[in-house]
Amino acid sequence: MDLFSPADHTPVALAEGATWLPGFALPMMQTLWPCVAEALAIQPAMHMMTPMGYPMSVKTASLGEWGWVGSQAGYGYSAQHPETGQPWPPIPAVIMQLAEAAAMAAGFANFVPDSCLINVYAPGSKMGLHQDKDERDFSQPIVSVSLGLPATFLWGGHRRLDKPIKLPLVHGDVVVWGGASRRVYHGVATVKPGQHPLTGAQRINLTLRKAR
Ligand code: SIN
Ligand code: FE2
């Protein structure tokens, strides 16, 4: 099934606990985008490794107390950057406010993330269907913010083989999933070539989580 983005930015219920908030981040974009650009200038995103020893297709950077890392030892959270040994920079206030407001709009009060993963997709990058399951507390939702080039988000089910719904995410869209949907499989189809006025030839995704 393919969904279409409602022109009037009304929220779309995807499943119990899962909501697509089209354009939710647009009102704060003037503050948000410079923060993301600066974060990536200070900490260039890098290709983490899969446990199979291959580089991931997306590049990642992290903000917050806990950063998501991948290596041949597996996936998980670390308080330090794996190459520099430095703590991750703090999550800027505008991103914290966006995460809390989006979670609230989707029915999850008092969401206070301690991790912001920045996924950078060049055209040709994708993310296979997976569950977010490296966090300790599954009562907390995931808040996912899309910036730059459009992408098809794949919203699956509780089994990897469940056929995903395709969502055409664009710049400023937010998707929140928690509760009964917290461990739903999701992914991103191969990003198509293009240019975006703010991000250039890339899609950037912020994934906010309570990791610990
Ligand atoms: C993720 O699942 O970590 C990323 C999702 C996205 O890029 O939209
Ligand atoms: Fe994910």
Side-chain angles (χ1 to χ4, degrees):
M1 181 166 71
D2 293 5
L3 291 182
F4 297 96
S5 184
D8 62 354
H9 289 175
T10 42
V12 180
L14 300 172
E16 194 188 334
T19 311
W20 175 19
L21 301 167
F24 192 86
L26 290 177
M28 57 206 86
M29 197 56 74
Q30 277 200 333
T31 321
L32 175 62
W33 172 245
C35 285
V36 176
E38 191 193 335
L40 288 171
I42 293 169
Q43 179 199 162
M46 59 181 268
H47 291 285
M48 294 284 178
M49 285 289 183
T50 66
M52 297 295 285
Y54 299 107
M56 289 182 70
S57 140
V58 298
K59 288 183 176 184
T60 61
S62 281
L63 304 172
E65 207 177 326
W66 298 98
W68 185 87
V69 293
S71 74
Q72 278 184 272
Y75 299 124
Y77 287 94
S78 166
Q80 290 100 25
H81 190 287
E83 286 187 352
T84 66
Q86 294 297 307
W88 310 92
I91 304 175
V94 62
I95 299 180
M96 293 295 287
Q97 284 155 12
L98 169 59
E100 189 185 359
M104 182 71 95
F108 299 96
N110 306 316
F111 177 52
V112 183
D114 57 10
S115 179
C116 175
L117 174 64
I118 309 177
N119 289 129
V120 180
Y121 296 75
S125 299
K126 61 179 166 50
M127 191 172 291
L129 285 176
H130 66 278
Q131 296 168 295
D132 287 9
K133 58 179 183 190
D134 302 322
E135 300 72 33
R136 203 171 273 164
D137 180 0
F138 292 118
S139 73
Q140 298 295 315
I142 302 286
V143 173
S144 171
V145 182
S146 290
L147 302 170
L149 290 181
T152 300
F153 186 68
L154 305 170
W155 175 256
H158 282 98
R159 289 163 304 182
R160 189 186 293 277
L161 293 180
D162 290 339
K163 193 168 163 39
I165 294 172
K166 294 178 181 169
L167 277 96
L169 297 186
V170 297
H171 181 67
D173 283 4
V174 179
V175 183
V176 180
W177 61 98
S181 288
R182 179 60 179 72
R183 273 169 279 187
V184 162
Y185 279 89
H186 58 280
V188 177
T190 306
V191 172
K192 299 198 173 89
Q195 279 290 330
H196 186 274
L198 284 186
T199 67
Q202 47 190 3
R203 169 179 189 260
I204 295 173
N205 170 261
L206 310 177
T207 300
L208 289 131
R209 303 172 177 145
K210 177 90 177 86
R212 287 290 179 263

